[in-house]
């Protein structure tokens, strides 16, 4: 009787358990089968520290966790030093890096180093496109600059002055933005002046000279301009590109009139994903310029804009 009971009840249950185990293995492969081989990737900044692109770094780190990538973040001792970036780029390639993300400080100064590195590693640039890089992740810089110039037109009458905050190098994506804004403003009858310097120097300039608006073309410059505006009783209109906690605070306090922002978290994620696919020789879709959005104090807490200003990990 016990043998019959075993055959009748226990064996079917065992067979059912085996079938369920096989089904689980098919539907949910082991972690080792799912995850690709570890990929080392270097990220070369153009700034001496990374606060201005901290949100993009969050996106990179999330992508690295998802795609089994180990990131190595490298910062030049001096911001916007193309020479140091070139040295870092050369060193990483010689050390065997399979993939590199680069924020180029100067197209012309880095052209040869980028060409050489791209022949040996999957090289993706952010913020500034370069001809020899495998891919570019960022906005259409000329379109963004023109949009900033057009925003300033609304508050600056014809014949009045707009102050443009210069980038360290005009041969970059940030320089492309400035050039496009300047061309638009001049074509619409506005005067244009350039400025390069600290927040203190900018505050002094604005306190003694008649300027109706200021435009900064990347987050670090915009932070300095907002700090300068906050010291004046009657500051000019301030427009800029980029979103950081300091920029968000300036927008909330009314020191910044409007910003053009992109989803920095998504751009960081996409850059790592693109470089990883290229390094692993996987099929990758062609990348389109990323969208950017106008944010003002009155709409900064709209749900879609909160995602840009107050990003959270996916």
């Amino acid at each position: 009787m016990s043998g019959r009971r075993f055959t009748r009840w226990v064996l079917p249950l065992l067979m059912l358990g085996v079938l369920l185990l096989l089904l689980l293995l098919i539907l949910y492969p082991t972690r080792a089968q799912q995850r690709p081989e570890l990929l080392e990737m270097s990220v070369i900044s153009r700034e001496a520290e990374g606060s201005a692109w901290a949100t993009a770094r969050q996106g990179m780190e999330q992508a690295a966790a998802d795609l089994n990538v180990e990131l190595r973040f490298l910062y030049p001792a001096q911001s916007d030093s193309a020479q140091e970036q070139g040295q870092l780029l050369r060193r990483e390639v010689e050390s065997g890096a399979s993939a590199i993300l680069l924020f180029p400080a100067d197209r012309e100064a880095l052209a040869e180093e980028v060409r050489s590195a791209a022949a040996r590693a999957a090289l993706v640039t952010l913020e500034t496109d370069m001809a020899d890089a495998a891919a570019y992740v960022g906005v259409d810089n000329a379109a963004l600059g023109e949009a900033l110039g057009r925003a300033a037109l609304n508050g600056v009458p014809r014949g009045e002055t707009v102050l443009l905050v210069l980038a360290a190098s005009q041969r970059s994506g940030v320089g492309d933005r400035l050039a496009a804004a300047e061309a638009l403003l001049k074509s619409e009858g506005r005067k244009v002046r350039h400025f390069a310097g600290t927040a203190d120097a900018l505050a002094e300039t604005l306190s003694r000279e008649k300027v109706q608006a200021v435009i900064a073309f990347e987050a670090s410059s915009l932070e300095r301009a907002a700090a300068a505006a906050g010291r004046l009783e009657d500051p000019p209109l301030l427009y800029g590109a980029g979103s950081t906690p300091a920029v968000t605070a300036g927008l909330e306090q009314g020191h910044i009139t409007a910003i053009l922002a992109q989803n920095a978290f998504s751009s960081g994620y996409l850059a790592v994903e693109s470089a990883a696919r290229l390094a692993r020789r996987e099929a990758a879709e062609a990348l389109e310029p990323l969208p950017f959005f106008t944010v003002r104090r009155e709409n900064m807490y709209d749900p879609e804009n909160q995602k840009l200003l107050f990003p959270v990990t996916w």
Side-chain angles (χ1 to χ4, degrees):
M1 289 292 292
S2 61
R4 291 179 182 177
R5 190 177 295 112
F6 178 85
T7 302
R8 183 177 178 182
W9 297 105
V10 178
L11 282 181
L13 289 174
L14 288 174
M15 292 176 64
L16 179 61
V18 171
L19 288 173
L20 286 172
L21 179 61
L22 290 173
L23 182 61
L24 288 172
L25 289 173
I26 292 172
L27 294 177
Y28 305 99
T30 64
R31 187 175 181 83
Q33 290 174 316
Q34 281 183 317
R35 292 178 69 77
E37 184 179 350
L38 180 67
L39 175 69
E40 294 184 359
M41 186 178 301
S42 303
V43 184
I44 302 176
S45 173
R46 68 172 177 82
E47 296 184 290
E49 49 82 29
S51 62
W53 56 281
T55 303
R57 175 167 175 160
Q58 291 175 18
M60 293 176 186
E61 290 172 340
Q62 182 63 57
D66 293 345
L67 304 172
N68 202 27
V69 172
E70 183 177 292
L71 295 175
R72 173 179 167 83
F73 292 95
L74 303 167
Y75 303 93
Q78 181 179 347
S79 293
D80 295 300
S81 172
Q83 181 180 3
E84 283 190 75
Q85 281 194 315
Q87 293 170 352
L88 290 171
L89 189 55
R90 185 165 56 252
R91 186 188 75 187
E92 293 306 297
V93 171
E94 291 173 353
S95 298
S98 301
I100 298 173
L101 302 183
L102 173 67
F103 291 81
D106 187 311
R107 281 195 192 92
E108 292 184 22
L110 287 166
E112 188 56 41
E113 292 291 355
V114 166
R115 187 178 301 112
S116 176
R120 300 172 60 184
L123 176 60
V124 174
T125 65
L126 297 95
E127 191 178 66
T128 298
D129 59 300
M130 292 194 65
D132 292 299
Y136 163 65
V137 175
V139 299
D140 180 330
N141 285 301
L144 188 147
E146 186 172 313
L148 281 170
R150 197 166 297 283
L153 289 177
N154 296 325
V156 181
R158 293 181 67 88
E160 299 297 339
T161 301
V162 179
L163 189 69
L164 307 183
V165 180
L166 289 171
S169 170
Q170 293 305 103
R171 298 172 299 192
S172 66
V174 178
D176 296 342
R177 299 170 188 178
L178 188 148
E182 181 169 5
L184 175 72
L185 290 166
K186 287 182 175 179
S187 71
E188 296 290 339
R190 274 62 170 183
K191 296 178 182 178
V192 170
R193 289 186 49 219
H194 295 162
F195 173 84
T198 64
D200 290 339
L202 179 57
E204 182 180 349
T205 297
L206 295 177
S207 66
R208 58 182 167 79
E209 298 185 18
K210 187 180 179 183
V211 172
Q212 277 64 45
V214 177
I215 304 179
F217 297 91
E218 46 89 26
S220 295
S221 299
L222 182 55
E223 288 181 357
R224 292 194 296 273
R231 301 173 194 174
L232 303 175
E233 292 185 6
D234 186 23
L237 302 173
L238 175 57
Y239 303 89
S243 58
T244 66
V247 168
T248 300
L251 195 64
E252 189 172 42
Q253 294 161 3
H255 302 321
I256 299 175
T257 308
I259 64 170
L260 293 182
Q262 61 176 304
N263 190 323
F265 186 97
S266 294
S267 68
Y269 193 103
L270 183 59
V272 170
E273 182 181 47
S274 300
R277 285 184 176 276
L278 290 165
R280 289 168 174 155
R281 293 177 171 78
E282 299 174 358
E285 297 181 1
L287 298 176
E288 297 293 329
L290 300 178
F292 54 85
F293 307 90
T294 302
V295 184
R296 299 176 180 273
R297 185 180 185 182
E298 55 267 28
N299 69 358
M300 65 182 293
Y301 289 107
D302 289 355
E304 61 273 18
N305 290 333
Q306 288 191 54
K307 296 176 183 177
L308 303 176
L309 302 178
F310 311 99
V312 294
T313 304
W314 291 358

